[in-house]
Amino acid sequence: MPILNRVAEMHDEITGWRRHLHTIPEILYDVHQTAAFVAERLTEFGCDEVVTGIGRTGVVGIIKGNLGDGPAVGLRADMDALPLNEITGKEWASKTPNQMHACGHDGHTAMLLGAAKYLAETRNFKGSVAVIFQPAEEGGAGGDAMVKDGMMDHFGIRTVFGMHNMPGLPVGQFAIRPGPAMAATAEFWIVVKGKGGHAAMPHGTIDPIVVGSQIVTALQTIASRSIDPIDSVVVSVTKFHGGDAFNIIPEQVELNGTIRILRTEVGEAAAKRMNEICEGIAAAHGATVDVKIDFNYPVTFNHAEETDFAAGVAKSVAGEPNVDTNVLPVMGGEDFSYMLEARPGAFIFMGNGDTANLHNPAYDFNDEAIPHGVSYWVKLAETALAA
């Protein structure tokens, strides 16, 4: 099954939805305009149920098939944007300063809406399809919030599937892998406390900037010298704050950053080593240090059977040569991981073509990818719920 004719006919309409959503980006759980737009479209399509307010601002539409009773399959898209100023110059660019769809969630939402419209028209399946529109993927754990609200049990969802666009992968191609597909994430805060003083008399101070700088350098040895090279780990310091004047050594500095891992044991080892490094360097200089590490999103772990199934559906849409079934894991985090902990399922990547990368102010979702994503969703639902 290549691109469905009906989906091709809907391409312009879905593109219009996508570009409208791109103009009104919203952050984390504050996706009220987006959620309202989604709920209005689902109601127009004739979904059997449209439920709002799940996981605070999430939306779920239920579409019942015409071929009899059966289980429910969940299809998930994310709705939130990022705190970035857009520089694309597109006609449909963000109208809100410091908010933009720099990860393609507008495209994900529009494609799932397109699939919902098609499935509500045809209903050529048994059981039901739950189209899940999730807030707060970008750091707010909206997926966890929807699961904790009882979404899976309430709608009888047996399996759940997610999809994300991938810049650099050609349009019309898909990529997936069993097991760990995306990393678990952690955030860390390091506060180094020294002794401030005049910058011209550093011998009378304990300079926290010097201590913090040595900590930044030493943390890089966690990946290079403390963790087995076969295991994947990223430790990145992304903030270094300290000082207010050019001639004053400050009392303290604060470092922040992220850890990414594909196995829980590696995260535990990295956290232990981070504490040892910080305490050792601080003690060597007579400073003190406080370290806080907060592990949040778990590993996005694709279940084997559902991964094989999703890969087969992608091959039926794109052709076998256009589906990579052993793509390398991505060290970015993804809170669809919470849904995969609650139910078996799989997360697939879809080509976005030669575009700016994700989380870049020059990024824009590639509308040419829309028919491929919608056709994948439709084929997945109809195959999973075949009579």
Side-chain angles (χ1 to χ4, degrees), residues 177-348:
R177 65 174 288 113
M182 296 188 72
T185 67
E187 297 170 345
F188 62 81
W189 296 259
I190 301 170
V191 177
V192 179
K193 298 178 181 179
K195 179 182 176 183
H198 201 298
M201 294 175 278
H203 60 286
T205 72
I206 298 172
D207 191 340
I209 291 178
V210 171
V211 179
S213 299
Q214 292 187 24
I215 287 174
V216 171
T217 301
L219 289 180
Q220 308 314 305
T221 66
I222 293 175
S224 66
R225 290 296 178 270
S226 298
I227 301 297
D228 189 327
I230 300 300
D231 282 313
S232 299
V233 62
V234 175
V235 179
S236 291
V237 178
T238 56
K239 298 180 184 179
F240 193 133
H241 293 162
D244 297 299
F246 64 87
N247 61 347
I248 300 173
I249 291 173
E251 286 284 318
Q252 69 177 43
V253 300
E254 182 174 346
L255 315 178
N256 307 100
T258 186
I259 302 171
R260 305 297 172 98
I261 49 94
L262 295 175
R263 292 198 304 119
T264 301
E265 307 92 296
V266 175
E268 293 170 351
K272 179 176 182 291
R273 189 67 185 129
M274 174 176 286
N275 276 285
E276 292 169 347
I277 287 171
C278 292
E279 290 169 4
I281 291 176
H285 290 273
T288 61
V289 65
D290 293 319
V291 181
K292 178 186 175 185
I293 304 171
D294 181 16
F295 281 91
N296 34 50
Y297 290 4
V299 172
T300 303
F301 192 92
N302 281 340
H303 299 254
E305 182 177 345
E306 287 71 25
T307 300
D308 287 344
F309 171 73
V313 170
K315 290 174 183 177
S316 73
V317 172
E320 187 166 351
N322 292 314
V323 181
D324 181 354
T325 58
N326 195 30
V327 66
L328 291 174
V330 175
M331 296 307 288
E334 167 61 62
D335 79 343
F336 186 66
S337 53
Y338 292 106
M339 297 190 188
L340 290 175
E341 288 189 330
R343 290 293 185 273
F347 191 73
I348 198 168

Side-chain angles (χ1 to χ4, degrees), residues 64-94:
K64 296 181 180 178
N66 285 334
L67 304 183
D69 295 334
V73 61
L75 314 179
R76 174 269 202 175
D78 35 19
M79 296 188 291
D80 59 320
L82 285 158
L84 282 175
N85 279 310
E86 183 167 352
I87 62 170
T88 65
K90 298 287 180 66
E91 180 182 340
W92 52 87
S94 170

Side-chain angles (χ1 to χ4, degrees), residues 2-22:
I3 300 302
L4 291 160
N5 290 335
R6 177 69 178 118
V7 171
E9 292 170 0
M10 294 164 58
H11 190 179
D12 288 346
E13 181 181 21
I14 299 170
T15 297
W17 299 338
R18 202 285 297 182
R19 294 182 179 181
H20 167 70
L21 292 171
H22 194 87

